[in-house]
């Protein structure tokens, strides 16, 4: 069925029906409901291109992803984030435009998206501490929201973030309450804002207990399983090795566990591990009892919330920037236990 046929059934002009379907305010509420009910009853779907021409919108949201494998955003949690965002896009008749670009070409892509009208807005992923993309998007007038924050940017912008500093402070306190004093930090790349905040939380917690930080117990790299394994092997070879590991990624924590077991040690008895696990839907942290003690947040829910925030901004450009800070829950699993007596004595 096309617009002309639907208009004939309703006894209304095509213009009125089109405006009702597209939410124009001058259409009476009763008329709008009548048109929407008829459209649903007759399985009418407006032509996307025609609708875009009528409204000046593309009904699409952009996600620009750099190719570099070292970029902290290119990891398995992206799938869960997109699943959450995709639910919101689908309910609101939006499509997703995913652009994979070479490093250094992101600015060109954002400008092209704006110039061509390809998308109505974008979600910016993996913000660095001084992220130049925020100023660029503000300059070209492309609506955007940020998954995370950029500490070095003063411009007002909308963001959703996990309270990374509080999460790692809390995790460090938990380990110290168990008697651990040699706590290793396996962090993400600290050019990324979230990793910077996690280090701050860890350092603040140690300082509050008058425990000095030891550079030999801190690493900052791409969050892979191999990174967790290699860093742990090196630290276990130290004259005074750590008794606990605080890890920025569930995937890296799997590498830590592999290294511990290869050294003939038992996780939770000889070495404790606390990780940030993001509640991944396809890489679960155990069943009834969690494998790892973890600071948990749902990245799928973050995708839902952030996409709603962006659609609100697109619908009402006068909205003030919105901010949402998500607190984590600390879930105790089988990976933690009291520090070995010898370590506590030392």
């Amino acid at each position: 069925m096309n617009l002309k046929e639907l208009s004939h059934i309703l006894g209304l002009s095509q213009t009125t029906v089109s405006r009702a379907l597209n939410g124009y305010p001058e259409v009476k509420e009763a008329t709008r409901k009548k048109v929407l009910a008829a459209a649903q009853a007759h399985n009418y779907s407006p032509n996307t291109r025609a609708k875009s021409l009528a409204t000046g919108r593309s009904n699409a949201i952009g996600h620009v992803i750099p190719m570099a494998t070292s970029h902290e955003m290119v990891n398995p949690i992206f799938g869960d984030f997109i699943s959450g965002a995709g639910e919101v896009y689908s309910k609101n008749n939006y499509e997703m435009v995913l652009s994979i670009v070479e490093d250094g070409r992101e600015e060109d892509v954002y400008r092209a998206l704006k110039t061509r009208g390809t998308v109505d807005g974008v979600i910016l992923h993996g913000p660095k501490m001084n992220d130049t993309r925020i100023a660029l998007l503000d300059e070209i007038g492309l609506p955007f929201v940020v998954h995370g924050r950029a500490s070095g940017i003063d411009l007002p912008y909308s963001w959703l973030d996990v309270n990374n500093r509080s999460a790692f402070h809390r995790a460090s306190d938990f380990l110290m309450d168990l008697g651990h004093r040699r706590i290793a930090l396996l962090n993400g790349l600290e050019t990324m804002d979230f990793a910077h905040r996690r280090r701050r939380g860890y350092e603040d917690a140690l300082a509050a207990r008058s425990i000095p930080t030891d550079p030999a117990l801190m690493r900052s790299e791409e969050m892979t399983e191999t990174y967790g394994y290699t860093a742990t092997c090196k630290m276990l070879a130290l004259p005074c090795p750590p008794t606990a590991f605080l890890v920025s990624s569930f995937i890296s924590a799997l590498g830590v566990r592999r290294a511990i077991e290869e050294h003939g040690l038992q996780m939770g008895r000889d070495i404790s591990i606390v990780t940030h696990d993001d509640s991944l839907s396809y890489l679960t942290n155990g069943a009834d009892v969690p494998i790892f003690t973890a600071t948990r947040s749902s990245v799928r829910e973050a995708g839902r919330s952030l996409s709603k925030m962006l659609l609100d901004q697109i619908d009402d450009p006068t909205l003030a920037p919105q901010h949402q800070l998500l607190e984590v829950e600390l879930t105790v699993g089988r990976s933690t236990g009291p520090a070995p007596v010898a370590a506590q004595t030392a």
Side-chain angles (χ1 to χ4, degrees):
M1 173 173 289
N2 58 35
L3 181 64
K4 183 177 181 181
E5 291 168 334
L6 182 63
S7 301
H8 179 72
I9 290 171
L10 287 163
L12 298 171
S13 70
Q14 292 184 43
T15 299
T16 298
V17 172
S18 176
R19 288 178 176 274
L21 290 169
N22 289 304
Y24 281 82
E26 60 266 30
V27 178
K28 293 180 180 179
E29 183 63 17
T31 302
R32 187 184 69 82
K33 288 181 178 179
K34 178 182 176 182
V35 171
L36 291 175
Q40 183 175 10
H42 295 281
N43 287 325
Y44 171 76
S45 295
N47 180 280
T48 303
R49 181 164 179 78
K51 184 178 179 181
S52 296
L53 291 172
T55 63
R57 290 186 181 179
S58 65
N59 276 75
I61 301 298
H63 296 262
V64 179
I65 315 302
M67 287 183 180
T69 56
S70 63
H71 195 288
E72 286 294 332
M73 189 247 128
V74 183
N75 58 52
I77 72 167
F78 186 60
D80 260 22
F81 182 91
I82 287 298
S83 294
E87 292 175 21
V88 176
Y89 298 156
S90 179
K91 289 177 182 177
N92 290 275
N93 296 315
Y94 272 80
E95 296 180 351
M96 180 177 65
V97 175
L98 186 62
S99 300
I100 309 296
V101 303
E102 296 176 0
D103 274 5
R105 288 202 58 245
E106 284 185 78
E107 178 175 339
D108 296 337
V109 172
Y110 284 125
R111 290 188 183 278
L113 290 174
K114 172 63 177 178
T115 302
R116 298 170 185 167
T118 310
V119 299
D120 296 323
V122 296
I123 292 183
L124 192 153
H125 299 275
K128 298 180 180 180
M129 292 186 63
N130 294 286
D131 204 305
T132 58
R133 295 174 296 174
I134 292 174
L136 168 68
L137 291 168
D138 184 69
E139 173 198 332
I140 65 178
L142 183 60
F144 71 98
V145 294
V146 181
H147 185 200
R149 286 177 284 175
S151 300
I153 302 298
D154 293 328
L155 288 171
Y157 62 91
S158 293
W159 54 261
L160 177 147
D161 197 12
V162 169
N163 194 340
N164 288 290
R165 185 171 180 175
S166 172
F168 272 54
H169 195 299
R170 185 178 177 188
S172 301
D173 278 339
F174 176 80
L175 288 169
M176 289 185 288
D177 287 343
L178 289 171
H180 295 279
R181 295 297 179 267
R182 296 283 289 170
I183 302 171
L185 173 66
L186 301 191
N187 206 1
L189 293 171
E190 289 177 3
T191 54
M192 312 301 290
D193 194 84
F194 78 87
H196 170 75
R197 292 178 187 275
R198 290 179 182 179
R199 176 189 278 266
R200 288 287 299 277
Y202 163 82
E203 292 176 337
D204 290 349
L206 265 60
R209 306 277 186 113
S210 300
I211 299 174
T213 55
D214 183 349
L217 297 184
M218 293 185 282
R219 294 284 191 281
S220 168
E221 293 183 26
E222 180 189 353
M223 298 186 297
T224 64
E225 192 274 348
T226 301
Y227 158 50
Y229 172 79
T230 303
T232 302
C233 287
K234 290 178 178 178
M235 290 183 181
L236 291 178
L238 292 171
C240 187
T243 62
F245 287 82
L246 179 53
V247 190
S248 261
S249 161
F250 183 81
I251 296 167
S252 298
L254 295 174
V256 177
R257 180 182 182 180
R258 177 161 67 99
I260 288 171
E261 291 176 346
E262 285 189 8
H263 281 73
L265 302 170
Q266 182 177 327
M267 181 178 72
R269 184 192 67 186
D270 304 306
I271 301 287
S272 289
I273 303 172
V274 178
T275 185
H276 186 79
D277 78 343
D278 289 302
S279 300
L280 299 177
S281 61
Y282 50 87
L283 190 60
T284 56
N285 185 13
D288 296 331
V289 180
I291 298 169
F292 292 101
T293 296
T295 55
R296 308 186 69 185
S297 68
S298 171
V299 71
R300 184 184 290 261
E301 185 55 41
R304 293 190 191 102
S305 298
L306 201 57
S307 55
K308 289 176 184 175
M309 191 182 293
L310 179 56
L311 296 188
D312 287 344
Q313 184 175 316
I314 291 168
D315 288 338
D316 184 1
T318 65
L319 278 180
Q322 302 175 66
H323 305 143
Q324 190 172 352
L325 186 61
L326 306 178
E327 297 296 339
V328 303
E329 58 175 329
L330 180 66
T331 303
V332 179
R334 299 193 298 270
S335 67
T336 50
V341 175
Q344 293 188 48
T345 303

